[in-house]
Amino acid sequence: MIAVILGMVTAGMLLVKRLDPQTAIPVTAKCRALVLAGGMAGDFLMWCMAQGEPFLGKLFLAVIWGCFLLACITDVAICQVYNFVWWISGAAAMALLWLRCHMNRDLGISGPIHTMGSMDVPSGSILALMVFCALQLIIFARLYGLADCYAFCVCAIVECAYGAGMGDFLMHMLLAVGLLLPVQAAKRNLNRYGNLKKPVPFLPYITLSFYLVFFLKYLGKNSCVMAFFLV
């Protein structure tokens, strides 16, 4: 799936150039290396997450991860994320949620989710998702940009597809801030009240924390991942 991830980034960069030819996005060797590393990390994550799932599930995850890498590039380079990124990733996330709900009904699975291999999406997770997205758009949109709100919403849809609830959505937000503050403190970009002196791109922290949420909460329970690190 790494080809799909990197293909989404490449196609997205070409579309940005076409839609906004006046805005140049510098793509350095460091940027290419980071995108390649992100693609490889995402490919490994999806290999573990999508065990026993159909090809479509893996494809949706690859599209979403590619969109987030693209969002990180534009957010860091020009402090802007184009709306088409959220249209595509949001549609893929909703399709993934529908797919897992559909698979759940076909297989007759019920009960709470315990592992990434489960295909159960509790109804409580759907309700928590709607409440969380409403909070993002109504309340949290005043604290940071709409692009960050959209990113958290897309992440929550994916997390919901794997049975996550409100606690998991909030854990993702807390982890993103927990990654941001120490880095900015080291750069002396925090005032005495703990606020940023100068705004910085938040998308990379949201993306990295999204990865860590799945790795720490779900993949740690996956025997194939544990075996990989024990070898």
Side-chain angles (χ1 to χ4, degrees):
M1 286 295 164
I2 190 172
V4 176
I5 297 172
L6 298 181
M8 287 298 301
V9 175
T10 303
M13 292 294 288
L14 292 174
L15 184 56
V16 166
K17 186 176 181 180
R18 183 178 181 85
L19 294 175
D20 194 4
Q22 303 302 321
T23 302
I25 300 178
V27 180
T28 63
K30 181 180 178 180
C31 177
R32 292 190 181 94
L34 289 174
V35 170
L36 179 60
M40 294 173 65
D43 186 61
F44 172 72
L45 181 70
M46 284 177 289
W47 177 80
C48 298
M49 286 172 59
Q51 294 293 317
E53 288 194 11
F55 174 77
L56 272 180
K58 301 175 184 178
L59 180 62
F60 293 146
L61 288 169
V63 169
I64 294 165
W65 189 251
C67 286
F68 269 79
L69 288 181
L70 174 64
C72 288
I73 293 173
T74 60
D75 195 26
V76 171
I78 59 174
C79 296
Q80 179 179 347
V81 181
Y82 294 86
N83 284 333
F84 74 83
V85 173
W86 307 125
W87 298 339
I88 296 173
S89 60
M94 290 298 296
L96 176 66
L97 178 59
W98 178 88
L99 177 66
R100 289 183 65 81
C101 289
H102 182 70
M103 291 170 66
N104 175 42
R105 289 195 298 271
D106 287 350
L107 295 175
I109 300 174
S110 61
I113 193 165
H114 293 293
T115 66
M116 293 303 291
S118 175
M119 299 173 189
D120 189 22
V121 182
S123 57
S125 293
I126 304 293
L127 178 60
L129 172 65
M130 292 188 291
V131 173
F132 179 78
C133 290
L135 291 174
Q136 283 292 327
L137 298 175
I138 296 173
I139 297 178
F140 291 108
R142 302 178 182 181
L143 302 178
Y144 41 72
L146 269 178
D148 300 326
C149 291
Y150 295 151
F152 277 121
C153 289
V154 173
C155 291
I157 296 171
V158 178
E159 291 162 3
C160 179
Y162 289 93
M166 181 62 75
D168 302 286
F169 307 151
L170 296 176
M171 180 180 71
H172 178 200
M173 291 185 64
L174 182 62
L175 184 56
V177 174
L179 292 174
L180 171 70
L181 293 181
V183 173
Q184 296 308 311
K187 293 182 177 180
R188 298 184 178 181
N189 191 33
L190 295 180
N191 60 28
R192 61 178 179 173
Y193 301 107
N195 299 320
L196 293 173
K197 295 178 182 178
K198 183 176 69 174
V200 296
F202 194 27
L203 252 299
Y205 298 96
I206 296 175
T207 303
L208 180 57
S209 59
F210 179 49
Y211 187 98
L212 292 176
V213 162
F214 277 104
F215 188 84
L216 296 175
K217 183 173 177 60
Y218 298 110
L219 297 188
K221 301 177 183 179
N222 191 307
S223 59
C224 74
V225 178
M226 295 303 292
F228 176 84
F229 286 104
L230 289 174
V231 172

